């Protein structure tokens, strides 16, 4: 089902294009536009960003005119899901185009698995390199490419411009050797500075290359202008690990200290908060095991977190506005695809919980937008309502660039949906969590447009173990949930123990087992 997305025009001084135009210094036109038969690609990936974090998706405070405009110019996917809602596994799924049950990545410290060189060569960015693209990777990296002892060297040596750090970045980038050549220490501004150096490495960016730390200097090549480019830009915000130092330095933009302080009464909390009982039994999850920065039981602390996350999302929005203006200045806006998505969502008190990995919609639904200059007038501003997943993006990017999609991908190109072609598309999404650290339980889920089924497995013997085959080999869940999503979108009423829904429960139990088995092959 497709419907038009009306452009949203927000009058907001901090993020207006007029201000962005004033703050973006004039480009030195030492790089001429390059014509190419294939489009450039920029994939902007955010961290812990919920679907409802945008103006266009109903956030009561956060202003995102540039992201909203990208959707109005492109295609917005209203039912986009991350099938492993936690940083490392979700990013491995983006790399491989596969479900975690197939690629078996997890976090290396638990799974001891890595993305092979061959599988990495099939990633969308390396497939574009093989097709003649100049490639770049900037920001957070949270997957293991090649054996751990290599420290991602295969990736660093094969991506043309590899400016990254494994794990969390924090708000102040300059505390890390990898980013000491920057002039902007705040994360979003610093990573945009690196993006400018990637896109137009002319003489005003000599300092970036000349002052790069030895840990990254060998992996920063100046862009070959004869080639189209493909860039993966990976932010570590609005993740809670990166908001702690927000606005702490005098050099941080003022917005990181004061933006939205005057409208804090407008932030919305879940119904019944803070007295929401966790709906899961102790053998599934205990709240006191949750990471400290994800705990949500204290109202003042949660309000502060919501405010800082809103500032981060607005800063990301401003960065996107500057990026589009930069492309226009360079004369390549009409030949550059922009993809915008998050690695997963986050619980902020819903179900009495914080954090990620849970398979409730707050964790698994994300904002996803694709803009391409090749889209027709009818396609621009479209909303696609079919169930899509992060693994569909690699195949879609390659099709947009006229590159063959590897047969190792489990995701599918979404172009038939965008083009309105008749196609049999998935009716359910399978989601999973295999991460057994930090108190999280193993979970599996099937979600359609009408129903969601979630099953949980005992934590008694699985701590710090990676068990992708357990349920396939017959391990039984210790707890189940069944929600009528159509009538109960906030997943408040568990129908699993209601005998009136025994038939539905049995159907989704069987479907969950079918999907976990199929996707593991």
């Amino acid at each position: 089902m497709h419907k038009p997305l009306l452009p949203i025009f927000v009058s907001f001084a901090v993020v207006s294009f007029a201000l962005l135009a004033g703050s973006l210094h004039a480009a030195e036109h030492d790089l001429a536009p390059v014509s190419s038969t294939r489009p450039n690609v920029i994939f902007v990936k955010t961290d812990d960003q919920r679907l409802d974090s945008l103006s266009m998706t109903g956030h009561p405070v956060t202003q995102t005119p540039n992201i909203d405009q990208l959707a109005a110019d492109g295609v917005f996917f209203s039912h986009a899901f991350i099938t492993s809602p936690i940083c490392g596994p979700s990013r491995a799924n983006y790399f491989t185009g596969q479900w975690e049950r197939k690629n078996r990545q997890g976090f290396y410290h638990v799974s001891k698995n890595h993305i092979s060189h061959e599988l990495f060569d099939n990633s969308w960015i390396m497939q574009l390199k093989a097709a003649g693209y100049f490639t770049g990777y900037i920001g957070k990296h949270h997957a293991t490419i090649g054996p751990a002892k290599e420290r991602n060297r295969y990736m660093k040596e094969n991506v043309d411009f590899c400016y990254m750090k494994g794990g969390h970045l924090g708000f102040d980038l300059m505390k890390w050797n990898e980013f000491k050549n920057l002039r902007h220490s705040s994360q979003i501004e610093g990573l945009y500075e690196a993006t400018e150096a990637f896109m137009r490495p002319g003489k005003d960016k000599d300092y970036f290359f000349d002052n790069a730390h030895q840990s990254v200097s060998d992996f920063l090549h100046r862009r070959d202008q004869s080639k189209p480019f493909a860039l993966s830009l990976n932010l570590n915000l609005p993740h809670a690990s990166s908001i702690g130092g927000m606005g702490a330095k005098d050099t941080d933009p003022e917005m990181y200290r004061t933006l939205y302080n005057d409208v804090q009464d407008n932030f919305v909390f879940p119904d019944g908060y803070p007295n929401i009982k966790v709906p899961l039994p102790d053998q599934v999850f205990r709240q006191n095991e949750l990471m400290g920065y994800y705990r949500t039981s204290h109202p003042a602390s949660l309000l502060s977190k919501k405010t800082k996350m809103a500032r981060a999302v607005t800063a990301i929005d401003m960065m996107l506005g500057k990026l589009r203006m930069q492309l226009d200045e360079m004369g390549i806006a009409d030949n550059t695809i922009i993809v915008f998505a998050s690695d997963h969502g986050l619980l902020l008190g819903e179900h009495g919980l914080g954090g990620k990995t849970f398979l409730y919609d707050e964790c698994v639904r994300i904002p996803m937008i694709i803009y391409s200059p090749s889209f027709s007038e009818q396609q621009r501003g479209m909303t696609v309502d079919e169930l899509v997943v992060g693994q569909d993006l690699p195949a879609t990017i390659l099709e947009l660039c006229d590159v063959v999609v590897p047969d190792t991908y489990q995701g599918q190109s979404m172009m038939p949906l965008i083009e309105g072609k008749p196609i049999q598309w998935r009716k359910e999404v399978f989601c999973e969590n295999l991460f057994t650290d930090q108190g999280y339980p193993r979970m599996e889920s099937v979600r359609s447009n009408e129903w969601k089924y979630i099953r949980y497995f005992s934590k008694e013997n699985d701590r710090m173990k990676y068990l992708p085959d357990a349920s396939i080999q017959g391990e039984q869940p210790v707890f189940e949930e069944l929600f009528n999503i159509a009538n109960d979108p906030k997943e408040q009423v568990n129908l699993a123990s209601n005998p009136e829904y025994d038939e539905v429960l049995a159907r989704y139990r069987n479907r969950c087992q079918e999907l976990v088995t199929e996707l593991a092959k």
Side-chain angles (χ1 to χ4, degrees):
M1 176 182 177
H2 309 292
K3 59 179 181 255
L5 177 69
L6 296 177
I8 300 173
F9 299 96
V10 182
S11 175
F12 187 61
V14 177
V15 290
S16 69
F17 273 107
L19 180 59
L20 291 174
S23 64
L24 183 65
H25 60 74
E28 296 184 24
H29 296 288
D30 48 309
L31 293 179
V34 177
S35 61
S36 171
T37 57
R38 282 183 168 148
N40 306 305
V41 179
I42 301 174
F43 184 176
V44 179
K45 191 184 299 100
T46 60
D47 198 334
D48 282 20
Q49 186 175 2
R50 292 164 49 127
L51 172 65
D52 62 1
S53 63
L54 310 175
S55 302
M56 61 174 284
T57 53
H59 198 282
V61 175
T62 310
Q63 298 295 302
T64 56
N66 299 307
I67 297 172
D68 299 353
Q69 188 62 50
L70 186 73
D73 295 338
V75 175
F76 174 69
F77 297 86
S78 64
H79 288 76
F81 294 84
I82 289 298
T83 62
S84 292
I86 189 167
C87 301
S90 72
R91 290 160 194 269
N93 293 353
Y94 274 124
F95 270 122
T96 64
Q98 298 175 346
W99 266 255
E100 183 180 354
R101 202 63 61 124
K102 173 73 170 178
N103 64 46
R104 301 190 174 217
Q105 292 310 300
F107 281 103
Y108 181 83
H109 77 279
V110 177
S111 74
K112 306 304 180 188
N113 294 332
H114 64 268
I115 297 174
S116 68
H117 295 173
E118 294 75 17
L119 198 53
F120 178 66
D121 286 343
N122 279 347
S123 66
W124 68 271
I125 197 164
M126 291 302 291
Q127 286 293 296
L128 291 184
K129 178 171 181 173
Y133 278 70
F134 184 89
T135 55
Y137 189 98
I138 293 174
K140 176 179 177 177
H141 179 63
H142 221 149
T144 303
I145 310 300
K149 63 183 180 181
E150 292 182 4
R151 303 180 66 85
N152 292 306
R153 190 167 186 88
Y154 186 79
M155 176 182 178
K156 295 174 182 178
E157 290 178 340
N158 284 281
V159 173
D160 299 305
F161 182 105
C162 200
Y163 190 67
M164 71 180 195
K165 177 193 171 296
H168 295 305
L169 306 185
F171 190 79
D172 179 7
L173 291 179
M174 288 189 183
K175 66 183 179 181
W176 308 110
N177 285 332
E178 292 91 336
F179 304 124
K180 286 191 180 296
N181 59 328
L182 293 171
R183 292 175 175 173
H184 296 86
S185 62
S186 50
Q187 183 189 135
I188 294 169
E189 290 71 23
L191 295 184
Y192 181 71
E193 182 184 346
T195 300
E196 286 187 302
F198 168 82
M199 290 198 303
R200 53 176 196 84
K203 57 189 177 184
D204 70 329
K205 291 295 182 292
D206 284 349
Y207 76 90
F208 180 89
F209 296 91
D210 294 343
N211 298 328
H213 190 265
Q214 60 184 10
S215 61
V216 296
S217 59
D218 289 343
F219 314 120
L220 299 177
H221 302 101
R222 295 174 187 257
R223 184 162 71 85
D224 182 345
Q225 298 178 66
S226 68
K227 298 179 178 181
F229 66 79
L231 173 64
S232 181
L233 174 54
N234 301 271
L235 302 166
N236 192 200
L237 281 165
H239 194 296
S241 71
S242 287
I243 62 175
M246 179 178 285
K249 296 178 71 170
D250 292 341
T251 54
D252 290 343
E254 178 63 25
M255 64 171 288
Y256 291 123
R257 285 180 283 275
T258 60
L259 184 62
Y260 301 133
N261 282 350
D262 58 338
V263 290
Q264 285 190 312
D265 289 346
N266 295 341
F267 283 97
V268 174
F269 291 80
D271 292 342
Y273 177 85
N275 300 310
I276 304 173
K277 187 178 186 303
V278 176
L280 306 174
D282 283 350
Q283 75 265 34
V284 171
F285 182 74
R286 289 183 291 273
Q287 182 77 303
N288 62 3
E289 294 179 285
L290 194 65
M291 292 283 286
Y293 55 59
Y294 282 137
R295 295 182 186 179
T296 59
S297 57
H298 194 284
S301 175
L302 183 55
L303 177 59
S304 175
K305 180 181 298 183
K306 282 175 170 279
T307 304
K308 290 179 178 179
M309 292 179 75
R311 291 170 184 162
V313 172
T314 292
I316 292 167
D317 181 83
M318 294 172 66
M319 182 203 73
L320 182 65
K322 290 191 286 187
L323 177 62
R324 296 192 75 184
M325 289 174 57
Q326 183 73 75
L327 293 170
D328 191 57
E329 278 191 12
M330 294 174 65
I332 56 175
D334 60 356
N335 194 37
T336 301
I337 293 164
I338 301 175
V339 176
F340 182 90
S342 174
D343 66 346
H344 51 76
L346 188 73
L347 286 161
L348 293 170
E350 297 84 3
H351 312 281
L353 295 167
K356 54 189 75 173
T357 84
F358 294 98
L359 305 182
Y360 300 121
D361 269 14
E362 291 88 357
C363 286
V364 296
R365 290 186 70 182
I366 60 165
M368 182 188 288
I369 300 167
I370 299 178
Y371 164 77
S372 173
S374 68
F375 289 163
S376 68
E377 287 299 318
Q378 291 74 24
Q379 292 163 346
R380 295 181 183 184
M382 172 189 289
T383 293
V384 171
D385 291 328
E386 280 85 357
L387 305 176
V388 302
V389 294
Q391 293 93 322
D392 295 328
L393 278 175
T396 308
I397 291 170
L398 293 184
E399 182 171 347
L400 280 167
C401 297
D402 196 26
V403 173
V404 175
V405 176
D407 59 11
T408 55
Y409 287 11
Q410 293 178 308
Q412 306 171 63
S413 171
M414 297 179 285
M415 286 308 297
L417 302 179
I418 294 171
E419 293 167 348
K421 293 180 178 178
I423 183 176
Q424 285 197 331
W425 195 257
R426 69 176 66 88
K427 299 300 182 184
E428 306 108 350
V429 170
F430 175 81
C431 298
E432 58 191 327
N433 174 59
L434 294 171
F435 183 55
T436 56
D437 196 1
Q438 301 175 9
Y440 291 119
R442 284 179 296 127
M443 297 167 266
E444 297 168 352
S445 171
V446 179
R447 187 202 193 277
S448 68
N449 281 323
E450 185 175 6
W451 296 96
K452 179 187 280 187
Y453 167 74
I454 310 174
R455 63 188 189 185
Y456 301 82
F457 297 90
S458 175
K459 299 192 300 179
E460 185 177 351
N461 297 314
D462 70 356
R463 295 300 83 189
M464 298 299 290
K465 295 180 182 177
Y466 196 66
L467 302 170
D469 293 322
S471 63
I472 298 172
Q473 294 173 347
E475 182 183 0
Q476 295 301 302
V478 298
F479 188 69
E480 296 173 300
E481 291 178 308
L482 179 70
F483 301 105
N484 186 328
I485 292 289
N487 298 325
D488 179 23
K490 293 185 178 181
E491 301 164 277
Q492 297 296 299
V493 181
N494 180 12
L495 302 171
S497 61
N498 187 328
E500 293 183 25
Y501 298 93
D502 283 350
E503 183 179 342
V504 177
L505 181 62
R507 185 167 78 246
Y508 276 85
R509 277 177 180 160
N510 292 336
R511 186 59 178 147
C512 190
Q513 192 65 23
E514 288 173 354
L515 286 173
V516 71
T517 304
E518 290 172 9
L519 291 167
K521 295 178 181 177

